[in-house]
Amino acid sequence: MSASPYYVTTPIYYVNDRPHIGHAYTTLACDVLARFKRLEGHEVHFLTGTDEHGQKVEKSARAAGVETQNFTDEVSQNFRRLADDMNYSNDDFIRTTEARHIHAAQAIWRRIQANGHIYLGSYSGWYAVRDEAFYAEGELEETDDGRKVGPSGAEVEWVEEPSYFFDLSKWQQPLLDFYAANPDFIGPDTRRNEVISFVEGGLRDLSISRTSFTWGIPVPDDSDHIMYVWLDALTNYITAVGYPDENNSDYLKFWPADLHMVGKDIVRFHAVYWPAFLMAANLAPPKRVYAHGWLLNKGEKMSKSLGNVVLPEDLIERYGLDPVRYYLLREVPFGSDGYISHETMVSRINGDLANDIGNLAQRSLSMVAKNCDSMVPQPGPFTSDDKALLSAAVAALDSIREEFNRQAFHRGLEVIWRVVSDANRYVDSQAPWELRKSDPSRMGTVLYVLAETIRHLAILIQPVMPDSAADMLDQLNVPGEARSFVNLGPDHALKAGTTLPKPRPVFPRFVDEEVTDSA
Ligand code: MSP
């Protein structure tokens, strides 16, 4: 078991908007990894936060009629609240308006400048405020009503102003070499190929300062300019581990980050600009950037302007937190776009959760309560069926790790649910209720094997459904310090004679109100 450090980050969220389920999704994936790695014994640093500068935020504050700093204070709180609502286990929450960050952003600017990679010029070209991105003429499209939009559909405006530039064009070959030497740097493969062909197509120097508005971090020694919001924002990942103090113990321990989780819309910033900035500052690039797909509602990416956002608090209230956490990572293959709907949610809740795992635990533990005096029964010798189930439960961890390490959360969950199905088949074939009279000692063994399997399942689902897993482990009387992955396997098996509390259902069925009303 390795105690090596693990650093995982979410994108920092623009404070122009209320958090919706798309934002919750990105952070959830990171939370599951952070919890998984902690259970494996790694020292984890899990960072999230808010991106508070730039024209987009300034515009939103103005539209709300609130002073910009107050506006960011307020909206940033919504993202902190989201972290509580979703039960995220982040170790830090960074805001780009904090002094520690302003200091770090100016320090990286100075480093890149001292290394000769920044020059003053003037920018004229297209800018999309919604994406906070510059686009080349060739990337633009014209809408039916004659507006010019960037590749994401965001409207662009013509910008002409003095600007500092980063010599991105010089980083084409170093980036291509870096991608070649680090084949796991970008996942999934489709995104990796996209990024490589974008870079192979040639890179233009990047405008990294603005003068036409003021909501940003001042450029060192030239306060007419503020830093381009993406250079500012990306730097948050090193601010949070103590940069510019490169001897800071967190920096030494956690940088380079193990994983920057991002949505596919912002992969270019993380996989092209960010490693180039870092290399230009003689700092190590992160180990991996993974770009997941979008959660779609009615076929569109959710956004405030489209009026189709789903709010996490509404889903939690309706379906419960852990079912929502499970559903989001199970229903949509991570990396692809996917739809969320009431029907598929209910089918996961009633199928995978209530019927499959919930019922397995409830009926097994009820039989223990009823037939074994509420104590873990004494097992007799194990048959090959017993051994097969127990070893499948233990072996699951290696497969889950493999899937989670490549961010295939849906596949990791499938691995767990294969054990759930094995266990349900085992109950049916062993029929412990029939053994009660005919062979009570064999019944004890079967119920023991089931309780042990449930212990494994509960330990394994902790990263995704921490509260429900805790509830199941409480019902097995597993002490808090015996719930990590080292406790899987026969060495830490349940002890016969341990008293168990009265079992209670962990995963209730979802019943549609309409159905209840008409019933
Ligand atoms: N502020 C930048 C990130 C800076 S990181 C140095 C930003 N913020 S954002 O708030 O617009 O988006 C943050 C993340 O939320 C992105 O990864 C984006 O892909 C994700 N999502 C926003 N809507 C989404 C969906 N509908 N579905 C899935 N993820 C989505 O970009």
Side-chain angles (χ1 to χ4, degrees), residues 14 51 53-58 127-135 154 210 213 228-230 269 273:
Y14 286 128
D51 187 353
H53 291 129
Q55 215 170 345
K56 169 162 159 152
V57 169
E58 192 186 63
Y127 192 77
V129 175
R130 197 176 93 192
D131 299 344
E132 296 282 19
F134 300 96
Y135 290 119
R210 306 288 311 267
F213 65 99
Y228 173 39
V229 66
W230 271 99
F269 301 96
Y273 300 171

PDB file of all heavy atoms in Angstrom, residues 14 51 53-58 127-135 154 210 213 228-230 269 273:
ATOM      1  N   TYR A  14     -16.416  29.814 -12.957  1.00  0.00           N
ATOM      2  CA  TYR A  14     -16.724  31.240 -13.117  1.00  0.00           C
ATOM      3  C   TYR A  14     -17.843  31.613 -12.166  1.00  0.00           C
ATOM      4  O   TYR A  14     -18.851  30.891 -12.080  1.00  0.00           O
ATOM      5  CB  TYR A  14     -17.201  31.525 -14.542  1.00  0.00           C
ATOM      6  CG  TYR A  14     -16.105  31.511 -15.574  1.00  0.00           C
ATOM      7  CD1 TYR A  14     -16.218  30.729 -16.717  1.00  0.00           C
ATOM      8  CD2 TYR A  14     -14.965  32.298 -15.422  1.00  0.00           C
ATOM      9  CE1 TYR A  14     -15.221  30.723 -17.676  1.00  0.00           C
ATOM     10  CE2 TYR A  14     -13.962  32.284 -16.381  1.00  0.00           C
ATOM     11  CZ  TYR A  14     -14.092  31.503 -17.507  1.00  0.00           C
ATOM     12  OH  TYR A  14     -13.112  31.486 -18.455  1.00  0.00           O
ATOM     13  N   ASP A  51     -13.222  31.038 -10.115  1.00  0.00           N
ATOM     14  CA  ASP A  51     -12.478  31.852 -11.084  1.00  0.00           C
ATOM     15  C   ASP A  51     -13.211  33.192 -11.136  1.00  0.00           C
ATOM     16  O   ASP A  51     -14.322  33.252 -11.665  1.00  0.00           O
ATOM     17  CB  ASP A  51     -12.544  31.110 -12.432  1.00  0.00           C
ATOM     18  CG  ASP A  51     -11.678  31.733 -13.503  1.00  0.00           C
ATOM     19  OD1 ASP A  51     -11.110  32.812 -13.279  1.00  0.00           O
ATOM     20  OD2 ASP A  51     -11.579  31.117 -14.587  1.00  0.00           O
ATOM     21  N   HIS A  53     -12.021  36.578 -11.886  1.00  0.00           N
ATOM     22  CA  HIS A  53     -11.672  37.770 -12.659  1.00  0.00           C
ATOM     23  C   HIS A  53     -12.219  37.678 -14.083  1.00  0.00           C
ATOM     24  O   HIS A  53     -12.827  36.689 -14.455  1.00  0.00           O
ATOM     25  CB  HIS A  53     -10.151  37.952 -12.692  1.00  0.00           C
ATOM     26  CG  HIS A  53      -9.580  38.336 -11.363  1.00  0.00           C
ATOM     27  ND1 HIS A  53      -8.526  37.674 -10.781  1.00  0.00           N
ATOM     28  CD2 HIS A  53      -9.934  39.312 -10.488  1.00  0.00           C
ATOM     29  CE1 HIS A  53      -8.237  38.228  -9.610  1.00  0.00           C
ATOM     30  NE2 HIS A  53      -9.090  39.215  -9.407  1.00  0.00           N
ATOM     31  N   GLY A  54     -11.945  38.730 -14.844  1.00  0.00           N
ATOM     32  CA  GLY A  54     -12.248  38.708 -16.270  1.00  0.00           C
ATOM     33  C   GLY A  54     -13.522  39.457 -16.610  1.00  0.00           C
ATOM     34  O   GLY A  54     -14.313  39.851 -15.751  1.00  0.00           O
ATOM     35  N   GLN A  55     -13.677  39.577 -17.925  1.00  0.00           N
ATOM     36  CA  GLN A  55     -14.746  40.405 -18.460  1.00  0.00           C
ATOM     37  C   GLN A  55     -16.119  39.785 -18.223  1.00  0.00           C
ATOM     38  O   GLN A  55     -17.093  40.486 -17.973  1.00  0.00           O
ATOM     39  CB  GLN A  55     -14.503  40.495 -19.966  1.00  0.00           C
ATOM     40  CG  GLN A  55     -14.866  41.811 -20.564  1.00  0.00           C
ATOM     41  CD  GLN A  55     -14.369  41.873 -22.000  1.00  0.00           C
ATOM     42  OE1 GLN A  55     -13.538  41.062 -22.438  1.00  0.00           O
ATOM     43  NE2 GLN A  55     -14.880  42.847 -22.739  1.00  0.00           N
ATOM     44  N   LYS A  56     -16.152  38.461 -18.282  1.00  0.00           N
ATOM     45  CA  LYS A  56     -17.427  37.762 -18.145  1.00  0.00           C
ATOM     46  C   LYS A  56     -18.010  37.995 -16.748  1.00  0.00           C
ATOM     47  O   LYS A  56     -19.195  38.286 -16.596  1.00  0.00           O
ATOM     48  CB  LYS A  56     -17.130  36.284 -18.396  1.00  0.00           C
ATOM     49  CG  LYS A  56     -18.184  35.308 -18.091  1.00  0.00           C
ATOM     50  CD  LYS A  56     -17.832  34.039 -18.834  1.00  0.00           C
ATOM     51  CE  LYS A  56     -18.487  32.826 -18.257  1.00  0.00           C
ATOM     52  NZ  LYS A  56     -18.689  31.813 -19.309  1.00  0.00           N
ATOM     53  N   VAL A  57     -17.152  37.874 -15.742  1.00  0.00           N
ATOM     54  CA  VAL A  57     -17.606  38.074 -14.365  1.00  0.00           C
ATOM     55  C   VAL A  57     -17.963  39.548 -14.152  1.00  0.00           C
ATOM     56  O   VAL A  57     -18.997  39.876 -13.559  1.00  0.00           O
ATOM     57  CB  VAL A  57     -16.518  37.607 -13.369  1.00  0.00           C
ATOM     58  CG1 VAL A  57     -16.862  38.041 -11.950  1.00  0.00           C
ATOM     59  CG2 VAL A  57     -16.348  36.095 -13.448  1.00  0.00           C
ATOM     60  N   GLU A  58     -17.111  40.427 -14.697  1.00  0.00           N
ATOM     61  CA  GLU A  58     -17.379  41.857 -14.537  1.00  0.00           C
ATOM     62  C   GLU A  58     -18.739  42.217 -15.143  1.00  0.00           C
ATOM     63  O   GLU A  58     -19.535  42.937 -14.539  1.00  0.00           O
ATOM     64  CB  GLU A  58     -16.262  42.675 -15.199  1.00  0.00           C
ATOM     65  CG  GLU A  58     -16.305  44.143 -14.822  1.00  0.00           C
ATOM     66  CD  GLU A  58     -15.277  44.954 -15.605  1.00  0.00           C
ATOM     67  OE1 GLU A  58     -15.381  45.024 -16.844  1.00  0.00           O
ATOM     68  OE2 GLU A  58     -14.375  45.501 -14.963  1.00  0.00           O
ATOM     69  N   TYR A 127     -12.622  38.091 -29.990  1.00  0.00           N
ATOM     70  CA  TYR A 127     -12.624  37.622 -28.603  1.00  0.00           C
ATOM     71  C   TYR A 127     -14.042  37.208 -28.221  1.00  0.00           C
ATOM     72  O   TYR A 127     -14.998  37.929 -28.505  1.00  0.00           O
ATOM     73  CB  TYR A 127     -12.148  38.742 -27.658  1.00  0.00           C
ATOM     74  CG  TYR A 127     -11.861  38.248 -26.256  1.00  0.00           C
ATOM     75  CD1 TYR A 127     -10.690  37.549 -25.986  1.00  0.00           C
ATOM     76  CD2 TYR A 127     -12.764  38.463 -25.207  1.00  0.00           C
ATOM     77  CE1 TYR A 127     -10.418  37.070 -24.711  1.00  0.00           C
ATOM     78  CE2 TYR A 127     -12.499  37.990 -23.930  1.00  0.00           C
ATOM     79  CZ  TYR A 127     -11.323  37.288 -23.681  1.00  0.00           C
ATOM     80  OH  TYR A 127     -11.057  36.814 -22.422  1.00  0.00           O
ATOM     81  N   ALA A 128     -14.160  36.049 -27.583  1.00  0.00           N
ATOM     82  CA  ALA A 128     -15.473  35.618 -27.088  1.00  0.00           C
ATOM     83  C   ALA A 128     -15.479  35.758 -25.576  1.00  0.00           C
ATOM     84  O   ALA A 128     -14.746  35.039 -24.887  1.00  0.00           O
ATOM     85  CB  ALA A 128     -15.745  34.170 -27.470  1.00  0.00           C
ATOM     86  N   VAL A 129     -16.290  36.670 -25.082  1.00  0.00           N
ATOM     87  CA  VAL A 129     -16.323  36.890 -23.633  1.00  0.00           C
ATOM     88  C   VAL A 129     -16.834  35.635 -22.926  1.00  0.00           C
ATOM     89  O   VAL A 129     -16.308  35.235 -21.892  1.00  0.00           O
ATOM     90  CB  VAL A 129     -17.201  38.113 -23.273  1.00  0.00           C
ATOM     91  CG1 VAL A 129     -17.325  38.261 -21.756  1.00  0.00           C
ATOM     92  CG2 VAL A 129     -16.615  39.377 -23.881  1.00  0.00           C
ATOM     93  N   ARG A 130     -17.834  34.969 -23.494  1.00  0.00           N
ATOM     94  CA  ARG A 130     -18.394  33.793 -22.819  1.00  0.00           C
ATOM     95  C   ARG A 130     -17.327  32.725 -22.580  1.00  0.00           C
ATOM     96  O   ARG A 130     -17.303  32.074 -21.544  1.00  0.00           O
ATOM     97  CB  ARG A 130     -19.552  33.210 -23.640  1.00  0.00           C
ATOM     98  CG  ARG A 130     -20.425  32.273 -22.819  1.00  0.00           C
ATOM     99  CD  ARG A 130     -21.609  31.788 -23.600  1.00  0.00           C
ATOM    100  NE  ARG A 130     -21.296  30.517 -24.253  1.00  0.00           N
ATOM    101  CZ  ARG A 130     -22.054  29.956 -25.196  1.00  0.00           C
ATOM    102  NH1 ARG A 130     -23.143  30.566 -25.627  1.00  0.00           N
ATOM    103  NH2 ARG A 130     -21.715  28.802 -25.723  1.00  0.00           N
ATOM    104  N   ASP A 131     -16.436  32.551 -23.537  1.00  0.00           N
ATOM    105  CA  ASP A 131     -15.366  31.552 -23.383  1.00  0.00           C
ATOM    106  C   ASP A 131     -14.104  32.180 -22.826  1.00  0.00           C
ATOM    107  O   ASP A 131     -13.139  31.467 -22.547  1.00  0.00           O
ATOM    108  CB  ASP A 131     -15.003  30.930 -24.741  1.00  0.00           C
ATOM    109  CG  ASP A 131     -16.176  30.201 -25.379  1.00  0.00           C
ATOM    110  OD1 ASP A 131     -17.148  29.922 -24.668  1.00  0.00           O
ATOM    111  OD2 ASP A 131     -16.094  29.929 -26.590  1.00  0.00           O
ATOM    112  N   GLU A 132     -14.054  33.482 -22.722  1.00  0.00           N
ATOM    113  CA  GLU A 132     -12.828  34.215 -22.382  1.00  0.00           C
ATOM    114  C   GLU A 132     -11.688  33.703 -23.273  1.00  0.00           C
ATOM    115  O   GLU A 132     -10.606  33.367 -22.812  1.00  0.00           O
ATOM    116  CB  GLU A 132     -12.465  34.054 -20.892  1.00  0.00           C
ATOM    117  CG  GLU A 132     -13.490  34.648 -19.919  1.00  0.00           C
ATOM    118  CD  GLU A 132     -13.419  36.174 -19.760  1.00  0.00           C
ATOM    119  OE1 GLU A 132     -12.839  36.847 -20.636  1.00  0.00           O
ATOM    120  OE2 GLU A 132     -13.964  36.689 -18.749  1.00  0.00           O
ATOM    121  N   ALA A 133     -11.966  33.669 -24.595  1.00  0.00           N
ATOM    122  CA  ALA A 133     -10.974  33.085 -25.510  1.00  0.00           C
ATOM    123  C   ALA A 133     -10.834  33.911 -26.778  1.00  0.00           C
ATOM    124  O   ALA A 133     -11.810  34.503 -27.257  1.00  0.00           O
ATOM    125  CB  ALA A 133     -11.380  31.657 -25.873  1.00  0.00           C
ATOM    126  N   PHE A 134      -9.604  33.944 -27.305  1.00  0.00           N
ATOM    127  CA  PHE A 134      -9.327  34.594 -28.588  1.00  0.00           C
ATOM    128  C   PHE A 134      -9.495  33.545 -29.673  1.00  0.00           C
ATOM    129  O   PHE A 134      -9.038  32.412 -29.509  1.00  0.00           O
ATOM    130  CB  PHE A 134      -7.883  35.098 -28.624  1.00  0.00           C
ATOM    131  CG  PHE A 134      -7.576  36.087 -27.545  1.00  0.00           C
ATOM    132  CD1 PHE A 134      -6.981  35.674 -26.349  1.00  0.00           C
ATOM    133  CD2 PHE A 134      -7.871  37.435 -27.713  1.00  0.00           C
ATOM    134  CE1 PHE A 134      -6.695  36.586 -25.347  1.00  0.00           C
ATOM    135  CE2 PHE A 134      -7.579  38.352 -26.701  1.00  0.00           C
ATOM    136  CZ  PHE A 134      -6.996  37.922 -25.516  1.00  0.00           C
ATOM    137  N   TYR A 135     -10.118  33.905 -30.759  1.00  0.00           N
ATOM    138  CA  TYR A 135     -10.260  32.961 -31.869  1.00  0.00           C
ATOM    139  C   TYR A 135      -9.720  33.563 -33.150  1.00  0.00           C
ATOM    140  O   TYR A 135      -9.840  34.764 -33.394  1.00  0.00           O
ATOM    141  CB  TYR A 135     -11.733  32.587 -32.069  1.00  0.00           C
ATOM    142  CG  TYR A 135     -12.280  31.730 -30.930  1.00  0.00           C
ATOM    143  CD1 TYR A 135     -13.349  32.164 -30.149  1.00  0.00           C
ATOM    144  CD2 TYR A 135     -11.712  30.485 -30.646  1.00  0.00           C
ATOM    145  CE1 TYR A 135     -13.841  31.386 -29.103  1.00  0.00           C
ATOM    146  CE2 TYR A 135     -12.196  29.707 -29.595  1.00  0.00           C
ATOM    147  CZ  TYR A 135     -13.257  30.160 -28.831  1.00  0.00           C
ATOM    148  OH  TYR A 135     -13.730  29.391 -27.810  1.00  0.00           O
ATOM    149  N   ALA A 154     -20.170  30.649 -28.971  1.00  0.00           N
ATOM    150  CA  ALA A 154     -20.169  31.908 -28.216  1.00  0.00           C
ATOM    151  C   ALA A 154     -19.895  33.075 -29.167  1.00  0.00           C
ATOM    152  O   ALA A 154     -19.039  32.993 -30.052  1.00  0.00           O
ATOM    153  CB  ALA A 154     -19.085  31.873 -27.149  1.00  0.00           C
ATOM    154  N   ARG A 210      -4.930  42.507 -20.984  1.00  0.00           N
ATOM    155  CA  ARG A 210      -6.024  43.333 -21.520  1.00  0.00           C
ATOM    156  C   ARG A 210      -5.914  44.723 -20.905  1.00  0.00           C
ATOM    157  O   ARG A 210      -5.467  44.875 -19.778  1.00  0.00           O
ATOM    158  CB  ARG A 210      -7.388  42.723 -21.141  1.00  0.00           C
ATOM    159  CG  ARG A 210      -7.610  41.272 -21.518  1.00  0.00           C
ATOM    160  CD  ARG A 210      -7.812  41.048 -23.009  1.00  0.00           C
ATOM    161  NE  ARG A 210      -8.788  41.959 -23.585  1.00  0.00           N
ATOM    162  CZ  ARG A 210     -10.093  41.699 -23.731  1.00  0.00           C
ATOM    163  NH1 ARG A 210     -10.583  40.543 -23.340  1.00  0.00           N
ATOM    164  NH2 ARG A 210     -10.911  42.584 -24.271  1.00  0.00           N
ATOM    165  N   PHE A 213     -10.556  46.864 -19.763  1.00  0.00           N
ATOM    166  CA  PHE A 213     -11.340  46.812 -18.519  1.00  0.00           C
ATOM    167  C   PHE A 213     -10.361  46.531 -17.387  1.00  0.00           C
ATOM    168  O   PHE A 213      -9.175  46.282 -17.633  1.00  0.00           O
ATOM    169  CB  PHE A 213     -12.457  45.748 -18.608  1.00  0.00           C
ATOM    170  CG  PHE A 213     -11.949  44.350 -18.728  1.00  0.00           C
ATOM    171  CD1 PHE A 213     -11.874  43.528 -17.611  1.00  0.00           C
ATOM    172  CD2 PHE A 213     -11.501  43.866 -19.938  1.00  0.00           C
ATOM    173  CE1 PHE A 213     -11.383  42.236 -17.709  1.00  0.00           C
ATOM    174  CE2 PHE A 213     -10.999  42.582 -20.041  1.00  0.00           C
ATOM    175  CZ  PHE A 213     -10.939  41.773 -18.932  1.00  0.00           C
ATOM    176  N   TYR A 228      -4.504  38.325 -18.634  1.00  0.00           N
ATOM    177  CA  TYR A 228      -5.535  37.526 -19.310  1.00  0.00           C
ATOM    178  C   TYR A 228      -6.063  36.511 -18.299  1.00  0.00           C
ATOM    179  O   TYR A 228      -5.294  35.843 -17.610  1.00  0.00           O
ATOM    180  CB  TYR A 228      -4.896  36.834 -20.512  1.00  0.00           C
ATOM    181  CG  TYR A 228      -5.769  35.839 -21.231  1.00  0.00           C
ATOM    182  CD1 TYR A 228      -7.127  36.065 -21.444  1.00  0.00           C
ATOM    183  CD2 TYR A 228      -5.212  34.655 -21.728  1.00  0.00           C
ATOM    184  CE1 TYR A 228      -7.903  35.145 -22.123  1.00  0.00           C
ATOM    185  CE2 TYR A 228      -5.985  33.724 -22.419  1.00  0.00           C
ATOM    186  CZ  TYR A 228      -7.335  33.974 -22.607  1.00  0.00           C
ATOM    187  OH  TYR A 228      -8.097  33.055 -23.278  1.00  0.00           O
ATOM    188  N   VAL A 229      -7.385  36.419 -18.230  1.00  0.00           N
ATOM    189  CA  VAL A 229      -7.992  35.654 -17.145  1.00  0.00           C
ATOM    190  C   VAL A 229      -7.571  34.178 -17.140  1.00  0.00           C
ATOM    191  O   VAL A 229      -7.491  33.551 -16.077  1.00  0.00           O
ATOM    192  CB  VAL A 229      -9.528  35.808 -17.140  1.00  0.00           C
ATOM    193  CG1 VAL A 229     -10.148  35.194 -18.379  1.00  0.00           C
ATOM    194  CG2 VAL A 229     -10.141  35.210 -15.878  1.00  0.00           C
ATOM    195  N   TRP A 230      -7.230  33.617 -18.293  1.00  0.00           N
ATOM    196  CA  TRP A 230      -6.840  32.192 -18.275  1.00  0.00           C
ATOM    197  C   TRP A 230      -5.447  31.982 -17.691  1.00  0.00           C
ATOM    198  O   TRP A 230      -5.207  30.978 -17.027  1.00  0.00           O
ATOM    199  CB  TRP A 230      -6.956  31.556 -19.660  1.00  0.00           C
ATOM    200  CG  TRP A 230      -8.332  30.996 -19.894  1.00  0.00           C
ATOM    201  CD1 TRP A 230      -9.349  31.583 -20.589  1.00  0.00           C
ATOM    202  CD2 TRP A 230      -8.846  29.754 -19.397  1.00  0.00           C
ATOM    203  NE1 TRP A 230     -10.464  30.779 -20.558  1.00  0.00           N
ATOM    204  CE2 TRP A 230     -10.180  29.648 -19.835  1.00  0.00           C
ATOM    205  CE3 TRP A 230      -8.313  28.720 -18.623  1.00  0.00           C
ATOM    206  CZ2 TRP A 230     -10.987  28.552 -19.539  1.00  0.00           C
ATOM    207  CZ3 TRP A 230      -9.113  27.626 -18.331  1.00  0.00           C
ATOM    208  CH2 TRP A 230     -10.442  27.545 -18.780  1.00  0.00           C
ATOM    209  N   PHE A 269      -7.016  24.934 -23.102  1.00  0.00           N
ATOM    210  CA  PHE A 269      -6.343  25.789 -22.103  1.00  0.00           C
ATOM    211  C   PHE A 269      -5.432  24.961 -21.190  1.00  0.00           C
ATOM    212  O   PHE A 269      -4.352  25.379 -20.830  1.00  0.00           O
ATOM    213  CB  PHE A 269      -7.380  26.531 -21.245  1.00  0.00           C
ATOM    214  CG  PHE A 269      -8.300  27.401 -22.065  1.00  0.00           C
ATOM    215  CD1 PHE A 269      -9.543  26.927 -22.462  1.00  0.00           C
ATOM    216  CD2 PHE A 269      -7.903  28.669 -22.450  1.00  0.00           C
ATOM    217  CE1 PHE A 269     -10.383  27.715 -23.229  1.00  0.00           C
ATOM    218  CE2 PHE A 269      -8.741  29.472 -23.221  1.00  0.00           C
ATOM    219  CZ  PHE A 269      -9.991  28.991 -23.622  1.00  0.00           C
ATOM    220  N   TYR A 273      -2.018  25.571 -23.468  1.00  0.00           N
ATOM    221  CA  TYR A 273      -1.486  26.811 -22.871  1.00  0.00           C
ATOM    222  C   TYR A 273      -0.768  26.525 -21.544  1.00  0.00           C
ATOM    223  O   TYR A 273       0.318  27.029 -21.297  1.00  0.00           O
ATOM    224  CB  TYR A 273      -2.598  27.822 -22.595  1.00  0.00           C
ATOM    225  CG  TYR A 273      -3.386  28.273 -23.803  1.00  0.00           C
ATOM    226  CD1 TYR A 273      -4.544  29.037 -23.657  1.00  0.00           C
ATOM    227  CD2 TYR A 273      -2.988  27.947 -25.101  1.00  0.00           C
ATOM    228  CE1 TYR A 273      -5.282  29.458 -24.748  1.00  0.00           C
ATOM    229  CE2 TYR A 273      -3.727  28.361 -26.207  1.00  0.00           C
ATOM    230  CZ  TYR A 273      -4.874  29.120 -26.020  1.00  0.00           C
ATOM    231  OH  TYR A 273      -5.611  29.528 -27.089  1.00  0.00           O
TER     232      TYR A 273
END
